[in-house]
Amino acid sequence: MGSSQKDRGVRIAIDRGGTFTDCVGNYNGEDIVIKLLSVDPANYDDAPLEGIRRIMSHFLKKEIPRGQPLDTAKIDSIRMGTTVATNALLERKGEKIAMVVTKGFKDCLVIGNQSRPKIFDLAIRKPEVLYSTVVEVDERVTLEDYAEDPERHLTKVEVKAGTAEAKNTDLVMGLSGEAVRILQRPEKEAIRAKLQEIYDSGIRSIAVCLMHAYTFPDHEALVGEVAREIGFTHISLSHELMPMIKLVSRATSVCADAYLTPAIKKYISGFQKGFAGGLGAKGVKESEGGGAVGARCEFMQSDGGLVDVDKFTGLKAILSGPAGGVVGYAITSYDENTKIPVIGFDMGGTSTDVSRYGEGRYDHTFETTTAGVTIQSPQLDINTVAAGGGSILFFRNGLFVVGPESASAHPGPACYRKGGPATVTDANLFLGRLLPEFFPKIFGKNEDEGLDPEASRIKIQELADQIKAETGKEMDLDEVAYGFLTVANEAMTRPIRSITEAKGHDTSKHRLATFGGAGGQHAVAIAESLGIKQILIHRYSSVLSAYGMALADVVDECQEPDSSVWKADDQSVIQGLKDKMEALKEKSRQALRDQGFEDDQIVFEEYLNMRYRGTESTLMIIKPTAEDAEKHYNGNDWDFASAFVRHHRYEFGFTLEERDIVVDDVRVRGIGKSFRYEEKSVDEQLKMIQKKDVDVKNKHSEAKVYFEGGRMDTPIYKLSDLSVGTVIKGPAMLADGTQTIVVTPKSTALVLETHVVVDIEEMDKNKDQKGDGERDVDPIMLSIFGHRFMAIAEQMGMALQKTSVSTNVKERLDFSCAIFDANGGLVANAPHLPVHLGSMSTCVRRQAEIWKGKLRKGDVLMTNHPSYGGTHLPDVTLIMPAFNAAGDKILFYAASRAHHADIGGITAGSMPPHSRELYQEGAAVKSEKLVSEGKFNEERVIELFHKEPAQYPGCSGTRCLADNINDLRAQVSANQKGISLIETLIAEYGEDTVQFYMVAIQNNAEQQVRNLLRTVYKRFQGRDLSAIDYMDDGSPIQLKVTIDPEAGEAVFDFAGTGPEVYANINAPEAISYSAIIYTLRCMISEDIPLNQGCLKPVTVKIPPKSLLSPSDNAAVVGGNVLTSQRITDVIFKAFQACAASQGCCNNLTFGFGGNVAGEKEVKGFGYYETIAGGSGAGPTWEGTDGVHVHMTNTRITDSEIFERRYPVLLREFSIRKGSGGKGKHRGGDGVVRDIEFRLPLQVSILSERRVYRPYGLAGGEDAQCGLNLWVRKVKKARWEDTLRKIQNGEQDREEEKVEDDEAEGYEERVINMGAKNSAPMKAGDRIIICTPGGGGWGKSGEEREVDEIRDPMGTWKMGSHGARMDLALQA
């Protein structure tokens, strides 16, 4: 397809989607578009082959029989996007594979990042692993230096990894420039024996991922060599596929490649059999040598570039189809001169995907999740936001709900004549927004009938009947159908706004490029919501993915790891990076030459992946263009550091001037330029166009189409009848054989040569301003406000994450944002962590009472004290009021709570295992005005966080004051974001309407909880529910729940709970409320609004002076992370909902340094993690191994990053087999985490369930307790030696250094640390944390009754937004 090759045949581009396969053929300037069903076994085996047959029959003017090999001599090129890989992944129908991994990490993919996908699912379902078996290799390397070293010591090494010398030394320089220590070399014959055994079992494809292979690939290369000798047909090595740090991401990626590539090769080989000549660069070369004439054949990769058919692999194939659409709109809708960025909105039959193109280049992301598999590889940043036209319509719990369940291609929407459910497509058809006469007639028994409007009407009637039966409200069918469309649009705009704003972009400054079969029906509504004024719809918009394939370039990606610290004045660092870049460019150039490109057709994009030291938020920075260099960087086009700082400020709103900039990777994107896009851009056409109003004669027909307010006589125009320059004022419908564009009454369409441009008028504000009289709750408005309130809380969370600095907030996302009514009642909470759920409203209510009548606009309050609604001291809450227009009445509050990494106290990290009094846990703030009318009081923060805590004995002030101040500022900006969004909502709907629906949404949640309580009452036949469980110190937590079935109310009475404890497991009252709201939401097991309404039917009685209602100065740090888990266990036990989960967070902290009063300040570091365990089994599910449960859901640091940042060696991180309780359904197993320290450090563990086992239920057995072990070298005690020392007057010196394991007089001892302890560990000491399992359900031997439930969002493409939401663990 390079331009050097003369045009000699038909050019074909194909996108095989989930529902339809789109084909675009071009020959001698003529285009043909064909749409056919992707799966139609009665008529053809392979949709792309059938499409090519029809295109060739058209151009050759003769019918080619099905099954006859197609003549490649007549074909110039075939370009294809395919869902083969995605389908194999979704249906788990890939190759049978084995994973080869470093000893100690066989379960790394079972544990993953230890978080659970959905925080309210008691039946936790993690994605299944792709491998059938695992081989552990006895090899080990680690990094010699650590990033958190306050001294910044760097080991210099001459010998490089991969050289012959590396085989004879234990210290080598890795590919990333880091010093690598080889601890254990693998034995070749031992590897051979293990791999031979796998081969003999029938496995032919293996995935190899060893610790730190991204920088030291030698051991992986050895495994690969042995595997080739044995005869494995496919070998995926992680360092070859994607040499980036992160063991888990690299291991899933390499498994995906080994799993999918054989499936793709098999498909391609079958596809090639449909042709008479060869396909691809090889086929073309062979034909030049006199063989049968071949055709070029390239497949679209996930990164938006094409690759030759022979080089197409599983890892790069996941987004093959959708990538074509992004390329299509990027090339046809973006203008290099005006530089207006474009949001791509691709709405098809089974998914709605969103992406963005701006600054003249594609947005790539390097870690995405599809079908539950996280892939580490450059991919276009495409995010699924809904299930497309096939999204099913439900009326649930008084709300209109759209999706995420999909009718998919089979049975499809009701109107597809296969007995499907009501969907978005049916609502559009019923309202006249889809025109059956323009839709292909491919339905019915003989595939010759059109859409069935009557089937859609019947399904919408059923929904209207359900609404009347449940609410008593009579709605006409138009209202119902339009209501569902409105809610569908609202549900889609929420993530689109988040995706765009999370990267610092403003949606209103974009154009919307809409494509896909259903895009034109929703584009105007989506654009209006996002504040976008102009929509671009390409003439091939319904087949734009296929059209994009035809316009795309062939791409080759190369990448290498690095670890340089950027120094503008050190030319050797920059020269080293330049040399690496040039070597990668040469490699890429050669790969493109092999695919038939000349050097003058090859261009490069050069990138450095950069971050500030101490953070994990990397940014992929492209080399500045000559124009940018002149404008911003004094003409220096290699000033990557300034480009990074500029980009960081744009995306995150701040920079960290005092920190080093680290380069993590060097990347080159080689591009082989093929077709040129010759058309004029939209902006060029708009400048020249002669506009004229549409001629009435051109009207094809007229229909009554529903718009807001009612049905209107709407003209229908065929696109082919409209000449360039025609202006069509709404309402109108524009259609051709593949798409329908809805032009609403407030918009105008203009026909260009290449596009239809729709311009939108300014919207009227104050949509629904009813007077003070009686009003009914409109279920449509209720559903929309549910989305709007939640969107505000989510966008506050985005703002907080973006502008925060600390790892805890920015990466672990240990925070929550919420909005509250004027009394402090919760309206909406973006639930990142369950433990924050109900507790913030207590906090807001207390502060509202204290400051009543004293607050002004722009004030922000700060508190973290347990007696004032706090949970534990590191969780600092900031509260801001939203006033009415007059400024004399508070309407709402916005609040954000963030876990600060340190706020002082007796240990680093402010999570001491041995605190007895509150002051030992750090700064305690009852109520402070942090911001007065917009002025931030930094001096007071220094006073409260740094100076005051250090006045107490043995305590230090905060060890990271700068981070505290930065994170508090981020919380202020999150609250300001919330307030401004609330003000926008009020401006749009009016104060009365917003207040009315704020109450209505709380009433809705209240109703769901009342229904749950009535159901429970019936199930237990009126018996009171009661339970008791114990903390490890013997303190009981007792609960009795009494339900009043008439009112649907319950009393939760904790009488019998133990007294306050002289330790830190006391739990402030707010925590019991969090546990109740969380457990009720889990048991409702449907998506309901989480707000104060959930607690209205519940009366909570907590005995005063008990450990659940501690005094003002009681220590509480364990209450938040330990006692909260036990309260949850007790509630679930009372309701007989599930067996106990591990019931602990296993809080591990280690580090050194601090500024204790009276001592010299020592620079150091602190680290904090929580560790997974087993989840409890239930009546229809088994427990899950190695997962976080109930009140927490934070991720674990990846093993390789853990060793890069800290002086540790992770010996083992695996499932603790047999620790879950046995039963009809077994409980989940806990984990074993074995950490060796390479320097002397203070190590602390704060844990529970080390004495009382997690209970089983319904005859299921209890799980194993946890166990914390310290493995240390101690002197052998011999009485003779002791006696001699006493007689000679010698001192017994404890700190003598042990040089080696066998040192005379020393022995290794394993010491039980108990549940809560702190120890000074020496270099070589280890802590082994064995976490508890989950209890079993039902008697062993009874027949299992496990429900298999598929996640409707399992098929969604999770780009950067998905990754962020996954990280945020959004409900």
Side-chain angles (χ1 to χ4, degrees):
M1 211 168 284
S3 54
S4 60
Q5 199 173 324
K6 63 184 188 299
D7 191 351
R8 58 171 176 71
V10 182
R11 287 175 169 173
I12 297 166
I14 298 174
D15 170 36
R16 186 199 183 284
T19 313
F20 291 107
T21 291
D22 300 332
C23 311
V24 178
N26 173 280
Y27 184 56
N28 292 340
E30 182 198 343
D31 285 349
I32 176 176
V33 174
I34 288 174
K35 224 178 172 56
L36 63 163
L37 287 169
S38 292
V39 181
D40 190 358
N43 291 298
Y44 44 81
D45 294 333
D46 183 67
L49 265 180
E50 172 66 10
I52 295 170
R53 185 190 71 78
R54 292 185 193 180
I55 288 172
M56 297 306 291
S57 296
H58 170 84
F59 284 128
L60 298 176
K61 308 278 189 287
K62 63 172 189 196
E63 185 64 21
I64 301 169
R66 279 187 188 152
Q68 180 180 314
L70 300 165
D71 182 1
T72 41
K74 301 285 194 295
I75 299 173
D76 175 45
S77 64
I78 297 168
R79 297 179 148 198
M80 202 156 119
T82 176
T83 50
V84 170
T86 322
N87 291 346
L89 205 52
L90 289 171
E91 294 159 19
R92 293 295 193 260
K93 287 185 178 166
E95 185 78 2
K96 193 176 178 189
I97 65 164
M99 177 173 79
V100 181
V101 73
T102 303
K103 186 179 172 184
F105 295 91
K106 66 176 185 292
D107 298 317
C108 66
L109 296 191
V110 175
I111 300 168
N113 61 21
Q114 80 177 8
S115 68
R116 61 194 187 277
K118 297 191 169 173
I119 58 176
F120 298 115
D121 281 3
L122 294 176
I124 298 168
R125 289 180 173 85
K126 282 173 146 185
E128 296 161 23
V129 293
L130 298 177
Y131 55 78
S132 307
T133 185
V134 181
V135 173
E136 285 192 297
V137 175
D138 192 5
E139 65 81 43
R140 194 63 160 90
V141 303
T142 190
L143 304 181
E144 186 68 358
D145 304 316
Y146 69 104
E148 294 294 321
D149 182 357
E151 302 300 321
R152 300 277 182 264
H153 174 264
L154 282 181
T155 306
K156 291 273 175 256
V157 194
E158 294 305 317
V159 178
K160 290 189 174 166
T163 59
E165 295 85 27
K167 291 178 178 161
N168 307 316
T169 174
D170 290 342
L171 203 56
V172 299
M173 181 61 72
L175 301 180
S176 59
E178 293 163 290
V180 176
R181 181 163 291 283
I182 300 161
L183 301 166
Q184 172 75 44
R185 293 179 190 277
E187 286 183 10
K188 194 169 180 178
E189 290 315 307
I191 296 171
R192 187 183 306 280
K194 285 185 171 181
L195 291 187
Q196 188 65 54
E197 198 179 316
I198 295 296
Y199 187 85
D200 294 344
S201 76
I203 290 175
R204 293 291 177 271
S205 180
I206 62 165
V208 186
C209 188
L210 304 180
M211 274 289 277
H212 301 294
Y214 70 95
T215 186
F216 183 77
D218 302 26
H219 293 175
E220 266 193 12
L222 178 67
V223 175
E225 183 190 316
V226 174
R228 271 187 295 278
E229 288 167 9
I230 289 173
F232 285 94
T233 52
H234 184 85
I235 302 157
S236 292
L237 305 178
S238 79
H239 71 274
E240 290 178 350
L241 281 178
M242 198 63 203
M244 281 179 101
I245 190 167
K246 280 194 186 173
L247 177 76
V248 170
S249 307
R250 230 177 39 255
T252 30
S253 302
V254 76
C255 284
D257 189 70
Y259 186 74
L260 297 174
T261 302
I264 282 174
K265 297 290 181 213
K266 193 166 148 192
Y267 171 75
I268 287 172
S269 132
F271 180 68
Q272 286 177 328
K273 286 196 179 104
F275 297 89
L279 293 183
K282 202 163 108 195
V284 173
K285 272 197 185 119
E286 282 167 5
S287 65
E288 285 164 5
V293 178
R296 292 203 63 138
C297 178
E298 286 135 352
F299 275 77
M300 177 57 81
Q301 302 184 103
S302 303
D303 63 3
L306 295 161
V307 70
D308 186 72
V309 59
D310 292 329
K311 295 191 169 191
F312 190 49
T313 63
L315 188 64
K316 304 285 179 71
I318 312 272
L319 300 182
S320 174
V326 178
V327 174
Y329 83 76
I331 291 175
T332 59
S333 303
Y334 180 79
D335 185 303
E336 284 293 348
N337 298 314
T338 60
K339 293 187 168 43
I340 300 170
V342 188
I343 289 172
F345 177 69
D346 173 7
M347 188 170 182
T350 45
S351 75
T352 303
D353 295 334
V354 174
S355 54
R356 178 185 179 275
Y357 185 83
E359 298 79 53
R361 62 177 177 274
Y362 298 106
D363 271 5
H364 285 107
T365 181
F366 291 82
E367 203 171 293
T368 59
T369 303
T370 304
V373 177
T374 303
I375 303 286
Q376 196 178 36
S377 169
Q379 298 173 67
L380 290 175
D381 193 0
I382 301 172
N383 296 270
T384 302
V385 297
S391 297
I392 302 178
L393 314 179
F394 302 97
F395 186 72
R396 277 186 194 147
N397 304 327
L399 296 172
F400 278 57
V401 178
V402 180
E405 295 86 348
S406 165
S408 64
H410 186 82
C415 59
Y416 278 20
R417 300 180 183 268
K418 290 188 195 166
T423 66
V424 166
T425 299
D426 294 299
N428 275 314
L429 180 63
F430 180 75
L431 295 171
R433 292 162 165 242
L434 245 189
L435 307 168
E437 66 266 34
F438 287 96
F439 217 88
K441 292 190 168 31
I442 52 175
F443 305 104
K445 215 181 282 178
N446 303 317
E447 300 189 355
D448 56 1
E449 295 179 80
L451 296 171
D452 181 1
E454 181 56 19
S456 299
R457 191 197 65 75
I458 291 167
K459 287 292 177 191
I460 289 160
Q461 181 68 58
E462 286 171 12
L463 285 162
D465 295 343
Q466 185 193 348
I467 292 164
K468 187 180 178 189
E470 290 181 22
T471 67
K473 191 174 174 66
E474 190 136 2
M475 297 177 77
D476 71 40
L477 299 195
D478 282 347
E479 265 186 291
V480 172
Y482 189 70
F484 276 112
L485 289 189
T486 313
V487 171
N489 293 333
E490 189 62 49
M492 289 187 282
T493 28
R494 228 170 96 187
I496 296 171
R497 201 179 280 114
S498 296
I499 292 159
T500 319
E501 294 184 358
K503 292 195 168 181
H505 311 301
D506 177 350
T507 52
S508 65
K509 293 191 167 60
H510 290 67
R511 283 173 165 155
L512 188 72
T514 175
F515 54 107
Q521 293 131 54
H522 295 260
V524 174
I526 295 287
E528 278 181 347
S529 280
L530 295 171
I532 291 173
K533 309 287 183 297
Q534 196 170 60
I535 300 166
L536 308 180
I537 304 159
H538 194 269
R539 66 168 182 255
Y540 288 142
S541 79
S542 73
V543 293
L544 197 64
S545 287
Y547 192 68
M549 313 278 172
L551 302 175
D553 293 314
V554 175
V555 166
D556 182 78
E557 284 263 3
C558 285
Q559 186 167 317
E560 256 196 36
D562 199 85
S563 61
S564 315
V565 175
W566 183 278
K567 292 193 171 71
D569 50 1
D570 185 347
Q571 277 310 305
S572 66
V573 170
I574 293 171
Q575 193 53 50
L577 290 166
K578 283 183 177 174
D579 293 346
K580 211 173 227 188
M581 193 79 85
E582 283 309 316
L584 289 174
K585 277 162 76 174
E586 188 46 47
K587 195 170 157 190
S588 191
R589 189 179 286 118
Q590 194 50 54
L592 289 167
R593 283 178 190 146
D594 291 347
Q595 295 179 60
F597 287 89
E598 305 293 332
D599 284 7
D600 62 356
Q601 296 170 293
I602 300 173
V603 295
F604 296 100
E605 286 178 2
E606 299 167 54
Y607 296 88
L608 294 182
N609 196 24
M610 308 173 90
R611 63 182 168 88
Y612 282 120
R613 189 195 287 278
T615 72
E616 291 301 326
S617 302
T618 58
L619 292 173
M620 191 62 79
I621 303 299
I622 193 168
K623 183 181 168 185
T625 59
E627 186 188 334
D628 275 352
E630 277 308 318
K631 200 164 155 191
H632 303 292
Y633 313 119
N634 301 323
N636 177 6
D637 68 354
W638 248 82
D639 192 355
F640 277 94
S642 301
F644 167 77
V645 170
R646 191 161 170 263
H647 193 105
H648 201 281
R649 186 179 289 113
Y650 178 78
E651 187 156 325
F652 300 123
F654 68 93
T655 59
L656 298 169
E657 316 278 282
E658 71 291 350
R659 295 205 192 181
D660 290 337
I661 296 171
V662 179
V663 178
D664 271 351
D665 303 277
V666 181
R667 171 183 166 224
V668 162
R669 187 171 166 82
I671 301 167
K673 292 282 180 190
S674 38
F675 290 153
R676 293 283 53 79
Y677 180 64
E678 304 295 351
E679 313 271 8
K680 289 190 181 75
S681 77
V682 169
D683 291 292
E684 286 167 341
Q685 293 176 62
L686 286 172
K687 271 186 208 152
M688 300 159 60
I689 198 131
Q690 303 284 311
K691 295 185 185 178
K692 54 181 183 291
D693 283 341
V694 67
D695 190 333
V696 185
K697 292 203 297 279
N698 285 339
K699 187 165 76 174
H700 173 267
S701 55
E702 196 168 88
K704 283 210 176 296
V705 180
Y706 188 92
F707 294 98
E708 197 166 3
R711 294 218 175 222
M712 297 172 82
D713 291 327
T714 305
I716 296 165
Y717 299 96
K718 275 179 86 165
L719 276 169
S720 53
D721 295 345
L722 300 175
S723 57
V724 172
T726 304
V727 175
I728 305 102
K729 291 192 171 66
M733 305 278 283
L734 314 181
D736 63 16
T738 58
Q739 62 181 333
T740 307
I741 300 165
V742 176
V743 185
T744 62
K746 294 256 173 89
S747 57
T748 309
L750 168 64
V751 179
L752 305 182
E753 280 172 41
T754 56
H755 291 73
V756 174
V757 177
V758 179
D759 288 302
I760 299 170
E761 284 178 29
E762 284 292 322
M763 285 162 56
D764 288 340
K765 293 295 179 197
N766 294 347
K767 294 178 180 171
D768 184 84
Q769 304 239 344
K770 298 236 174 84
D772 293 336
E774 281 295 300
R775 69 187 323 182
D776 290 333
V777 173
D778 175 354
I780 301 168
M781 290 293 283
L782 186 64
S783 311
I784 287 170
F785 272 101
H787 278 290
R788 284 295 181 90
F789 289 138
M790 196 50 133
I792 292 171
E794 283 171 358
Q795 284 179 267
M796 287 173 67
M798 289 287 176
L800 177 50
Q801 186 205 354
K802 235 178 72 176
T803 53
S804 62
V805 171
S806 70
T807 306
N808 246 11
V809 180
K810 194 171 206 69
E811 279 129 33
R812 288 181 67 238
L813 300 205
D814 195 343
F815 66 80
S816 278
C817 295
I819 51 175
F820 300 84
D821 62 26
N823 304 316
L826 178 64
V827 175
N829 191 119
H832 303 92
L833 292 178
V835 76
H836 293 167
L837 271 177
S839 58
M840 273 163 78
S841 61
T842 314
C843 183
V844 175
R845 201 176 298 117
R846 297 261 161 98
Q847 298 302 318
E849 285 164 6
I850 293 169
W851 291 88
K852 197 172 183 180
K854 300 179 205 162
L855 292 175
R856 300 278 167 273
K857 203 171 178 171
D859 287 354
V860 180
L861 304 174
M862 172 169 74
T863 177
N864 71 341
H865 199 289
S867 304
Y868 288 68
T871 45
H872 62 175
L873 297 183
D875 284 342
V876 181
T877 307
L878 264 54
I879 301 161
M880 189 174 189
F883 286 88
N884 63 359
D888 57 7
K889 177 177 150 203
I890 292 174
L891 303 177
F892 283 89
Y893 289 96
S896 54
R897 173 173 284 175
H899 184 113
H900 287 243
D902 199 306
I903 47 157
I906 54 177
T907 61
S910 308
M911 296 283 291
H914 282 324
S915 50
R916 299 278 181 265
E917 304 279 354
L918 190 65
Y919 73 76
Q920 296 173 320
E921 296 173 1
V925 181
K926 289 181 174 175
S927 186
E928 285 283 339
K929 197 187 276 188
L930 175 68
V931 179
S932 295
E933 297 183 47
K935 190 176 181 324
F936 186 91
N937 191 346
E938 191 170 309
E939 292 73 30
R940 188 67 183 132
V941 176
I942 296 168
E943 190 71 35
L944 290 167
F945 280 43
H946 194 64
K947 294 179 181 167
E948 284 187 11
Q951 292 168 6
Y952 292 98
C955 292
S956 159
T958 174
R959 297 159 186 86
C960 47
L961 181 64
D963 278 7
N964 295 130
I965 290 170
N966 281 325
D967 283 352
L968 287 171
R969 286 187 185 278
Q971 285 180 260
V972 170
S973 73
N975 288 0
Q976 283 166 339
K977 177 81 176 171
I979 299 296
S980 84
L981 290 170
I982 289 168
E983 286 168 353
T984 307
L985 196 62
I986 289 170
E988 191 174 332
Y989 287 97
E991 187 184 311
D992 292 344
T993 302
V994 174
Q995 292 275 33
F996 177 80
Y997 280 102
M998 180 186 69
V999 174
I1001 203 83
Q1002 291 178 326
N1003 294 344
N1004 175 272
E1006 177 187 343
Q1007 201 48 52
Q1008 307 320 316
V1009 174
R1010 289 189 192 278
N1011 293 344
L1012 168 79
L1013 294 170
R1014 290 185 184 113
T1015 310
V1016 170
Y1017 182 85
K1018 275 187 204 144
R1019 198 174 93 216
F1020 285 92
Q1021 296 163 348
R1023 297 194 306 275
D1024 281 348
L1025 316 178
S1026 61
I1028 187 167
D1029 205 342
Y1030 299 87
M1031 302 298 287
D1032 279 350
D1033 67 351
S1035 294
I1037 292 179
Q1038 191 162 350
L1039 172 67
K1040 181 178 168 191
V1041 182
T1042 310
I1043 298 174
D1044 171 352
E1046 296 303 310
E1049 290 177 356
V1051 176
F1052 281 63
D1053 187 350
F1054 287 94
T1057 294
E1060 181 178 314
V1061 186
Y1062 189 54
N1064 59 23
I1065 58 165
N1066 302 296
E1069 285 190 8
I1071 285 175
S1072 296
Y1073 285 95
S1074 292
I1076 291 168
I1077 206 169
Y1078 164 76
T1079 49
L1080 291 173
R1081 169 62 183 82
C1082 288
M1083 290 185 285
I1084 287 173
S1085 75
E1086 273 187 15
D1087 211 359
I1088 64 161
L1090 277 174
N1091 57 45
Q1092 209 59 36
C1094 294
L1095 287 175
K1096 271 190 194 155
V1098 174
T1099 305
V1100 183
K1101 293 183 176 175
I1102 296 175
K1105 303 179 184 172
S1106 70
L1107 75 116
L1108 301 185
S1109 179
S1111 55
D1112 264 17
N1113 296 313
V1116 296
V1117 73
N1120 191 50
V1121 290
L1122 303 176
T1123 316
S1124 65
Q1125 296 278 39
R1126 191 68 68 264
I1127 300 169
T1128 308
D1129 280 343
V1130 170
I1131 299 171
F1132 282 135
K1133 189 177 187 180
F1135 280 87
Q1136 300 282 294
C1138 59
S1141 291
Q1142 70 154 337
C1144 180
C1145 293
N1146 306 295
N1147 306 271
L1148 174 72
T1149 47
F1150 59 78
F1152 67 90
N1155 71 330
V1156 178
E1159 293 179 21
K1160 188 176 170 227
E1161 184 165 348
V1162 177
K1163 274 192 174 166
F1165 70 84
Y1167 173 74
Y1168 168 52
E1169 71 179 21
T1170 57
I1171 306 168
S1175 78
T1180 58
W1181 68 88
E1182 307 239 279
T1184 300
D1185 303 338
V1187 70
H1188 255 326
V1189 297
H1190 302 324
M1191 301 308 276
T1192 186
N1193 205 14
T1194 51
R1195 292 181 160 199
I1196 195 90
T1197 306
D1198 184 85
S1199 307
E1200 288 178 343
I1201 287 184
F1202 187 46
E1203 292 189 6
R1204 177 193 255 185
R1205 288 186 78 159
Y1206 303 101
V1208 295
L1209 188 67
L1210 186 58
R1211 288 279 181 194
E1212 181 183 355
F1213 189 30
S1214 65
I1215 299 297
R1216 186 184 171 207
K1217 294 280 185 255
S1219 52
K1222 293 189 180 73
K1224 174 164 99 171
H1225 300 151
R1226 68 167 195 89
D1229 287 333
V1231 303
V1232 176
R1233 193 157 169 88
D1234 181 346
I1235 303 169
E1236 179 179 321
F1237 299 98
R1238 302 177 70 209
L1239 291 177
L1241 296 172
Q1242 188 69 28
V1243 181
S1244 305
I1245 181 76
L1246 175 62
S1247 63
E1248 270 286 328
R1249 290 282 193 212
R1250 293 329 191 239
V1251 179
Y1252 289 90
R1253 293 163 65 170
Y1255 60 78
L1257 268 189
E1261 293 180 23
D1262 295 349
Q1264 298 298 317
C1265 282
L1267 182 65
N1268 306 322
L1269 301 173
W1270 175 10
V1271 181
R1272 62 184 299 207
K1273 302 273 173 11
V1274 292
K1275 279 186 182 174
K1276 289 179 186 166
R1278 290 196 332 182
W1279 169 242
E1280 294 83 351
D1281 296 344
T1282 310
L1283 182 62
R1284 192 188 69 246
K1285 283 182 180 174
I1286 292 168
Q1287 288 168 341
N1288 297 340
E1290 294 173 23
Q1291 291 295 316
D1292 197 17
R1293 293 197 306 282
E1294 180 52 47
E1295 62 280 353
E1296 278 180 39
K1297 199 169 177 209
V1298 189
E1299 286 301 336
D1300 63 70
D1301 290 0
E1302 303 304 321
E1304 203 180 325
Y1306 280 86
E1307 62 184 357
E1308 190 174 83
R1309 285 257 171 141
V1310 178
I1311 295 161
N1312 185 345
M1313 292 183 76
K1316 300 168 185 67
N1317 220 325
S1318 188
M1321 298 204 182
K1322 297 197 179 84
D1325 283 7
R1326 289 152 56 204
I1327 187 167
I1328 304 175
I1329 297 164
C1330 304
T1331 69
W1337 178 282
K1339 291 196 174 75
S1340 290
E1342 290 179 2
E1343 195 180 334
R1344 288 171 72 240
E1345 295 178 60
V1346 174
D1347 286 352
E1348 296 300 333
I1349 298 170
R1350 286 199 78 162
D1351 179 4
M1353 292 163 76
T1355 61
W1356 290 21
K1357 291 172 270 299
M1358 299 293 184
S1360 61
H1361 175 71
R1364 198 176 284 108
M1365 288 297 100
D1366 168 36
L1367 193 63
L1369 305 158
Q1370 291 290 14

